[in-house]
Amino acid sequence: MTTAQRPTLEAVAKRAGVSRATVSRVVNGSTTVAEPIQQAVRRAVEELGYVPNLAARSLVTQRTDSVALVMPEAATRVFSDDQVFPGIIRGAAQELEAADKQLVLMLAGSPAGHERVERYTTGRHVDGVLFASLHGEDPLPGRLARLGIPVVCSGRPLDGAEVPYVDVDHVGGVTRAVRYLIENGRRRIATIAGPQDMVAGIERLEGYRNTITEAGLPVLVAYGDFTRESGTAAMRQLLAEHPDLDAVFAASDLMAHAALRTLREAGRRVPQDVAVIGFDDIETAAYTEPPLTTVRQPIVELGRAMTRQLLRIAAGEEIEQALMLPTELVVRESA
Amino acid sequence: MTTAQRPTLEAVAKRAGVSRATVSRVVNGSTTVAEPIQQAVRRAVEELGYVPNLAARSLVTQRTDSVALVMPEAATRVFSDDQVFPGIIRGAAQELEAADKQLVLMLAGSPAGHERVERYTTGRHVDGVLFASLHGEDPLPGRLARLGIPVVCSGRPLDGAEVPYVDVDHVGGVTRAVRYLIENGRRRIATIAGPQDMVAGIERLEGYRNTITEAGLPVLVAYGDFTRESGTAAMRQLLAEHPDLDAVFAASDLMAHAALRTLREAGRRVPQDVAVIGFDDIETAAYTEPPLTTVRQPIVELGRAMTRQLLRIAAGEEIEQALMLPTELVVRESA
DNA sequence: TTGTAAGCGTTATCAT
DNA sequence: ATGATAACGCTTACAA
């Protein structure tokens, strides 16, 4: 490494013929510096190609200008093609870019990874922490909040910690989907539920159960984990246990996609024999056979909203503890 | 913010009854410290919950223990469901986790974003920079390399800079795919090419062109940009210009997926009338109608390999400038 | 083997 | 409005 010696504040000060303090003021946009001096300093900065040393700044300001985005899933599942995590990353990246802060991505799937995230975040190496999709009852968000470190989760923390969160309206979306099925004359409506250790899985099932029960219809459930493979297994199980079902609400588009194929293999026509509705509205949903009717969730906006909340907390503002983003039923041809 | 005062080296030293230097040695795993003293220090660290201040360490060591992963695409396109970027992120995250370094994600799609990336990376705020999928002739990788900052690109840099890179064997994969079509009796083989300002687009077209020409067959090309929408348009164009085509090689699975649907809408049966082969082997490929025959590229491994190379450069090792990862034809039912 | 002390490059507090 | 100067928390010669 040639490690060309970087210019420091000192060097700029010397070149501009002023003190370090003045250069620092100019660089940080203080207004109390005379215009001609500002000019001179800026020219020196330009000529020397000066870039502030963030470590040094961070050491004295106690800020790092970076935010951690923690994905608590196993690495292999984080980036399945449901686009949830990429969407959140993208939203967070956009919002942080506007705030000129860095995005540090951390995977906490393995015990080692989780321990690493804990060390790093409790060690205050970031100005705030974003948690995407909690699994089970992770105590970390609550602990960080108690340490006074800004935290925002996607979805209500399952351990009941008083941590700010942003979530999409799972229940509302599912309710609309199930009602739509009922209005269209479906009476044997089954669901492929998501994992019950995640808010998304829990609330989508709750939405189904409430709406179905309210309508006096039978609750028919099989469980998956949001993936296509699990959707296939769940659909087969439903078909075996309730051969007379006439509709399926799947808690994810991936599972709905698998259900579509499984139904076709079983000789059922969609939507004539069985209507299918998914949840997510991934890109692929418009390209399934038939195109999938589904509940759209604003996933990039979720990432943005979480980040905006975090920045507000970090800025010392008071924020509402929960923020809910609307979902929407997108009707295509599968129901 | 309660900003509970964090313990410093000083505090640990006092508690353990030793000097700061000794604590530092223990924390950094120096072997030259007497066992009983190590014990005492470690206990003090434990009791106080001491975590090193990375900014302070970085200031003196000149290392940041973090690596930037730059995605030069527009934010809206980075996370399409082709899984390329998420795959690279995942691979990089895995490898960096093992090396106990942080992953800083940067989007350089907009001019502002690119400028920000440039400032940040040339300012040596990271120990190395990973570039995912260059668009056009970005001079930044070359510039960083000249500054002595470790850099690795995915794919050969188009501006001819002498920068280390890792890539998948596009040409080999495409050649195998096209030969497979020829061996199965196809004679009017068209291609939906990718964008010609990206290595992946260029090389996949080159592989097609060479193999087709070598076999004395006609070159039939339409251009897309790897997305489904562009695939639909390209497939329509091909159908209009060459109604007698009997096979299509699409440079991405997304475009192949769109082609599948467009062909069906045009009344062509796949694979009977027209054989279709894609490139990527995304998860969805196994679930298209019919399931897609495609060229698999090891995308997570690409991210891992890039990261390993980067770490080797940062460690001062000499590395080969180019590293090629194998691709593989996955035969399903579309061809 | 352990301790002392000199920085690392900023920002912030005081004077001036 | 500007300039000294003291932190910030750590690593690392160098001494002992």
Side-chain angles (χ1 to χ4, degrees):
Chain A
M1 275 202 272
T2 333
T3 314
Q5 204 51 36
R6 304 171 48 183
T8 67
L9 256 197
E10 182 83 53
V12 177
K14 193 167 293 172
R15 177 123 185 174
V18 296
S19 74
R20 249 155 52 210
T22 299
V23 177
S24 176
R25 290 187 187 105
V26 173
V27 169
N28 292 289
S30 164
T31 48
T32 68
V33 178
E35 188 53 40
I37 295 203
Q38 288 202 31
Q39 301 269 331
V41 170
R42 259 188 264 282
R43 199 173 48 245
V45 165
E46 197 66 32
E47 291 168 354
L48 265 41
Y50 169 75
V51 184
N53 180 319
L54 261 39
R57 174 181 287 171
S58 181
L59 186 56
V60 43
T61 59
Q62 306 279 34
R63 287 177 305 105
T64 64
D65 287 321
S66 67
V67 166
L69 173 52
V70 180
M71 328 234 68
E73 305 263 345
T76 36
R77 269 202 54 204
V78 167
F79 300 108
S80 88
D81 62 356
D82 65 6
Q83 294 292 300
V84 171
F85 292 101
I88 293 179
I89 293 176
R90 192 173 124 195
Q94 286 174 5
E95 215 57 53
L96 287 175
E97 173 149 340
D100 205 31
K101 290 187 185 297
Q102 304 312 320
L103 204 197
V104 179
L105 202 68
M106 308 198 77
L107 267 33
S110 64
H114 192 276
E115 208 259 320
R116 184 160 171 263
V117 169
E118 181 160 352
R119 261 200 350 259
Y120 194 72
T121 54
T122 60
R124 292 172 189 275
H125 300 319
V126 285
D127 294 344
V129 186
L130 255 19
F131 282 87
S133 174
L134 275 310
H135 243 308
E137 310 194 351
D138 193 326
L140 188 50
R143 191 175 319 154
L144 288 171
R146 259 171 272 120
L147 281 170
I149 296 171
V151 179
V152 174
C153 295
S154 82
R156 176 173 47 81
L158 285 176
D159 68 342
E162 295 270 311
V163 173
Y165 67 92
V166 181
D167 207 352
V168 301
D169 183 15
H170 302 285
V171 173
V174 175
T175 302
R176 240 163 297 133
V178 176
R179 286 219 181 111
Y180 176 85
L181 291 170
I182 296 174
E183 284 161 12
N184 282 274
R186 310 290 173 168
R187 288 297 173 267
R188 305 279 300 165
I189 305 172
T191 190
I192 301 179
Q196 296 301 299
D197 61 343
M198 296 176 69
V199 215
I202 294 169
E203 301 206 333
R204 291 175 198 172
L205 176 55
E206 187 186 320
Y208 161 86
R209 201 186 291 274
N210 293 348
T211 316
I212 285 287
T213 309
E214 207 169 74
L217 297 176
V219 169
L220 316 174
V221 186
Y223 294 89
D225 62 4
F226 288 149
T227 64
R228 284 200 179 90
E229 303 75 60
S230 73
T232 301
M235 190 66 244
R236 288 203 182 120
Q237 183 191 331
L238 286 175
L239 242 16
E241 295 176 357
H242 316 286
D244 59 341
L245 57 81
D246 59 10
V248 178
F249 164 69
S252 78
D253 280 355
L254 259 24
M255 296 196 296
H257 194 184
L260 246 28
R261 178 202 255 196
T262 306
L263 286 166
R264 184 168 51 235
E265 288 172 356
R268 311 291 180 106
R269 292 167 307 161
V270 175
Q272 297 89 332
D273 302 331
V274 181
V276 175
I277 297 187
F279 198 111
D280 282 342
D281 194 28
I282 61 176
E283 258 193 71
T284 306
Y287 286 80
T288 56
E289 183 49 33
L292 189 66
T293 292
T294 186
V295 179
R296 174 179 300 163
Q297 57 173 345
I299 204 67
V300 173
E301 181 52 32
L302 176 62
R304 302 189 64 144
M306 289 171 64
T307 309
R308 280 194 301 266
Q309 294 291 76
L310 190 76
L311 294 176
R312 292 177 59 197
I313 299 175
E317 291 180 45
E318 277 297 316
I319 64 162
E320 50 286 13
Q321 202 216 328
L323 194 62
M324 185 88 93
L325 268 27
T327 50
E328 170 195 1
L329 182 65
V330 178
V331 178
R332 295 204 179 90
E333 298 169 28
S334 69
Chain B
M1 273 202 272
T2 332
T3 312
Q5 204 49 36
R6 306 171 47 184
T8 67
L9 256 198
E10 183 83 54
V12 177
K14 193 168 293 175
R15 176 124 186 171
V18 298
S19 74
R20 249 156 51 210
T22 299
V23 177
S24 174
R25 290 186 187 105
V26 173
V27 169
N28 292 290
S30 163
T31 48
T32 68
V33 177
E35 189 53 40
I37 295 204
Q38 289 202 31
Q39 303 269 330
V41 171
R42 258 188 264 282
R43 198 172 50 244
V45 165
E46 195 68 33
E47 289 168 356
L48 264 41
Y50 169 75
V51 184
N53 180 318
L54 260 39
R57 174 181 287 171
S58 182
L59 187 55
V60 44
T61 59
Q62 307 279 31
R63 288 179 304 105
T64 64
D65 287 323
S66 67
V67 166
L69 173 52
V70 180
M71 329 233 67
E73 305 264 345
T76 36
R77 271 201 52 204
V78 167
F79 300 107
S80 87
D81 62 354
D82 65 6
Q83 295 291 300
V84 171
F85 292 101
I88 292 180
I89 293 175
R90 191 174 127 196
Q94 287 174 3
E95 215 57 53
L96 287 175
E97 173 148 342
D100 205 31
K101 290 187 185 297
Q102 304 311 322
L103 203 195
V104 178
L105 203 67
M106 308 198 78
L107 267 32
S110 65
H114 191 275
E115 208 260 318
R116 185 160 171 262
V117 169
E118 181 161 351
R119 262 199 351 259
Y120 195 74
T121 55
T122 59
R124 294 175 189 273
H125 299 319
V126 285
D127 294 346
V129 186
L130 255 18
F131 282 88
S133 173
L134 274 311
H135 244 308
E137 308 193 354
D138 193 329
L140 188 50
R143 192 175 319 154
L144 288 170
R146 260 171 271 119
L147 281 170
I149 296 172
V151 180
V152 174
C153 295
S154 82
R156 176 172 49 80
L158 285 177
D159 68 342
E162 296 270 312
V163 174
Y165 67 90
V166 182
D167 206 351
V168 301
D169 183 14
H170 301 285
V171 173
V174 175
T175 301
R176 240 164 297 132
V178 176
R179 286 219 181 112
Y180 176 86
L181 291 170
I182 296 174
E183 284 161 12
N184 282 273
R186 310 288 173 169
R187 288 298 174 265
R188 305 279 301 167
I189 305 172
T191 191
I192 301 179
Q196 295 301 298
D197 62 343
M198 296 177 69
V199 216
I202 295 169
E203 301 206 333
R204 289 174 199 174
L205 176 55
E206 186 185 319
Y208 161 85
R209 201 185 289 276
N210 292 349
T211 316
I212 285 288
T213 308
E214 207 170 73
L217 297 176
V219 169
L220 316 173
V221 186
Y223 295 89
D225 63 4
F226 288 150
T227 64
R228 284 199 179 91
E229 302 77 59
S230 73
T232 301
M235 190 65 243
R236 288 201 182 122
Q237 183 191 331
L238 286 174
L239 242 16
E241 294 175 357
H242 315 287
D244 59 340
L245 59 80
D246 59 11
V248 178
F249 163 69
S252 78
D253 280 356
L254 257 25
M255 297 195 296
H257 194 183
L260 246 29
R261 179 202 255 197
T262 306
L263 286 167
R264 182 169 52 235
E265 288 172 357
R268 311 294 179 105
R269 292 168 306 163
V270 176
Q272 296 89 334
D273 303 330
V274 180
V276 175
I277 297 187
F279 199 110
D280 282 342
D281 195 29
I282 62 178
E283 259 193 72
T284 306
Y287 286 80
T288 56
E289 183 50 34
L292 189 65
T293 292
T294 187
V295 180
R296 173 179 300 164
Q297 56 173 345
I299 205 67
V300 174
E301 180 52 30
L302 176 62
R304 302 190 63 146
M306 288 171 63
T307 309
R308 280 195 300 266
Q309 293 292 76
L310 190 76
L311 295 176
R312 291 178 59 198
I313 298 175
E317 292 181 44
E318 277 297 316
I319 64 161
E320 51 286 10
Q321 202 217 326
L323 195 62
M324 184 87 94
L325 269 27
T327 49
E328 171 196 2
L329 182 66
V330 179
V331 177
R332 295 203 177 90
E333 297 168 30
S334 69

